């Protein structure tokens, strides 16, 4: 028999505790790739003087690229964590208030219709949804992400998307950099300067980075499609039955709404609040 006083969404609050662990997981994954790529393999090549010039240039490229991508990835990651996704101000009122104008005709299939949050006891702007984990309404909510310990909404969606992109690029770089050394496991070769522990860590990092790069590629493609259509993950299914989608402004303006109008800063984890809604 169902309990009328039970709220299954209360169990979602345990995701906040899981989010704290995820920060350590992300940092651990970066360290897992950093040791074999930079410390064990390519770093020593850069420092050794007896290597061929082309080998040293390649090693320098790998080491510098790894550090740049790691910095951008962590910058995007902590920006997504620390940035408020967007909250609803207490004095917000819809343009057409059903309480003040009860005779107004409201199309319930229109996503732009006035909506009232029973949990927050306040009106919600367009595209705003209530997050049961955060316990509040979030502007242009996409989803609650355990990895960033935060909701992904209007003000931090860019950071979340760049986090996906730079994590994918960092994982892909690690896979390509470790591929020659990973092949040693199959060829039965063992370099004198490589210890069994280094080869084991390289093997583990290769497998983890390969899995992440393949999975993140699918997520990036999905979010690119959502950005191109000016749609969120929550709105994805709603969009299929509403034609035309009222928030589609065209490909260029849809991307500018998320990444900004200054193309130079598109791939920089810098806030783009000029396109955000007024709270």
């Amino acid at each position: 028999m169902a309990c009328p006083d039970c709220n299954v969404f209360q169990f979602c609050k345990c995701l906040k505790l899981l989010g704290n662990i995820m920060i350590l997981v992300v940092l651990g994954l970066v360290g897992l790739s950093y040791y074999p790529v930079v410390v064990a393999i390519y770093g020593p090549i850069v420092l050794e003087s007896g290597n061929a010039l082309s080998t040293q240039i390649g090693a320098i490229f790998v080491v510098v690229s790894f550090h740049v991508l790691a910095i951008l990835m962590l910058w995007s990651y902590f920006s997504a964590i620390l940035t408020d996704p967007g909250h609803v101000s207490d004095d917000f009122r819809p343009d057409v208030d059903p309480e003040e104008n009860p005779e107004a005709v409201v199309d319930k299939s229109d996503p732009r219709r006035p909506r009232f949050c029973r949990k927050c006891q306040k009106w919600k702007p367009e595209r705003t949804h209530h997050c049961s984990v955060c316990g509040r309404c979030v502007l242009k909510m996409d989803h609650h992400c355990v990895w960033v310990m935060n909701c992904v909404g209007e003000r931090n969606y860019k950071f979340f998307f760049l986090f996906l992109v730079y994590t994918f690029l960092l994982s892909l770089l690690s896979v390509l950099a470790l591929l020659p050394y990973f092949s040693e496991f199959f060829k039965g070769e063992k370099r004198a300067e490589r210890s069994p522990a280094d080869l084991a860590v390289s093997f583990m990092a290769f497998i983890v980075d390969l899995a992440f790069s393949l999975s993140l590629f699918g997520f990036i493609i999905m979010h690119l499609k959502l950005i191109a259509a000016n749609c969120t993950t929550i709105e994805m299914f709603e969009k299929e039955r509403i034609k035309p989608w009222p928030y589609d402004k065209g490909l260029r303006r849809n991307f500018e709404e998320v990444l900004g109008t200054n193309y130079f800063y598109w791939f920089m984890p810098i806030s783009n609040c000029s396109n955000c809604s007024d709270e």
Side-chain angles (χ1 to χ4, degrees):
M1 183 176 179
C3 175
D5 297 329
C6 294
N7 181 7
V8 294
F9 291 105
Q10 290 181 349
F11 296 101
C12 294
K13 294 181 179 179
C14 68
L15 295 177
K16 292 184 178 180
L17 299 176
L18 184 59
N20 294 323
I21 300 175
M22 286 303 177
I23 294 180
L24 299 178
V25 172
V26 170
L27 295 177
L29 291 173
V30 174
L32 178 64
S33 299
Y34 187 86
Y35 176 78
V37 174
V38 177
V39 177
I41 299 177
Y42 289 95
I45 295 176
V46 174
L47 298 176
E48 293 173 358
S49 58
N51 294 305
L53 180 61
S54 59
T55 302
Q56 284 197 317
I57 292 176
I60 292 173
F61 174 79
V62 171
V63 171
V64 172
S65 299
F66 189 98
H67 282 89
V68 171
L69 291 175
I71 290 172
L72 289 172
M73 187 270 278
L74 292 175
W75 184 3
S76 302
Y77 180 59
F78 285 103
S79 295
I81 292 175
L82 300 174
T83 303
D84 189 315
H87 66 274
V88 182
S89 61
D90 294 332
D91 58 351
F92 171 79
R93 303 291 292 183
D95 294 334
V96 179
D97 193 335
E99 293 181 350
E100 297 179 356
N101 189 8
E103 298 180 356
V105 179
V106 178
D107 184 1
K108 294 185 177 181
S109 64
D110 190 347
R112 296 167 295 184
R113 70 187 183 278
R115 293 177 301 153
F116 187 80
C117 179
R118 298 181 183 275
K119 295 180 180 179
C120 294
Q121 289 297 303
K122 62 174 64 175
W123 289 101
K124 298 190 292 186
E126 295 180 29
R127 316 186 78 176
T128 300
H129 297 274
H130 185 87
C131 176
S132 297
V133 180
C134 296
R136 60 172 179 153
C137 288
V138 177
L139 297 175
K140 198 181 176 183
M141 178 179 173
D142 188 87
H143 67 289
H144 185 91
C145 181
V146 178
W147 286 94
V148 301
M149 219 173 36
N150 197 2
C151 267
V152 177
E154 184 177 61
R155 295 177 178 269
N156 66 345
Y157 182 76
K158 175 184 178 180
F159 303 140
F160 171 77
F161 176 70
L162 292 181
F163 167 60
L164 295 181
V165 171
Y166 288 125
T167 304
F168 166 74
L169 294 177
L170 186 63
S171 299
L172 182 62
L173 174 66
S174 300
V175 168
L176 297 177
L178 294 173
L179 185 60
Y181 303 93
F182 175 70
S183 64
E184 294 178 357
F185 284 92
F186 295 100
K187 294 180 181 180
E189 299 176 358
K190 180 181 178 182
R191 300 189 181 187
E193 67 272 17
R194 304 283 179 248
S195 67
D198 288 345
L199 289 175
V201 173
S202 299
F203 177 82
M204 187 186 307
F206 181 88
I207 296 299
V208 172
D209 286 320
L210 180 62
F212 266 89
S213 59
L214 291 176
S215 59
L216 286 173
F217 180 76
F219 277 112
I220 292 172
I221 294 300
M222 183 190 77
H223 281 282
L224 281 174
K225 292 181 178 179
L226 292 175
I227 295 174
N230 201 337
C231 182
T232 65
T233 301
I234 293 178
E235 297 168 341
M236 186 164 46
F237 299 103
E238 185 180 19
K239 176 178 176 293
E240 296 301 321
R241 59 182 177 81
I242 299 177
K243 304 291 184 180
W245 183 242
Y247 302 111
D248 190 355
K249 303 175 183 178
L251 184 62
R252 180 178 62 84
R253 292 186 62 192
N254 289 343
F255 271 90
E256 288 178 348
E257 184 170 308
V258 174
L259 301 177
T261 56
N262 190 330
Y263 300 156
F264 179 77
Y265 295 115
W266 268 26
F267 295 99
M268 295 291 292
I270 298 175
S271 178
N272 181 39
C273 283
S274 60
N275 293 334
C276 294
S277 303
D278 294 330
E279 295 182 356

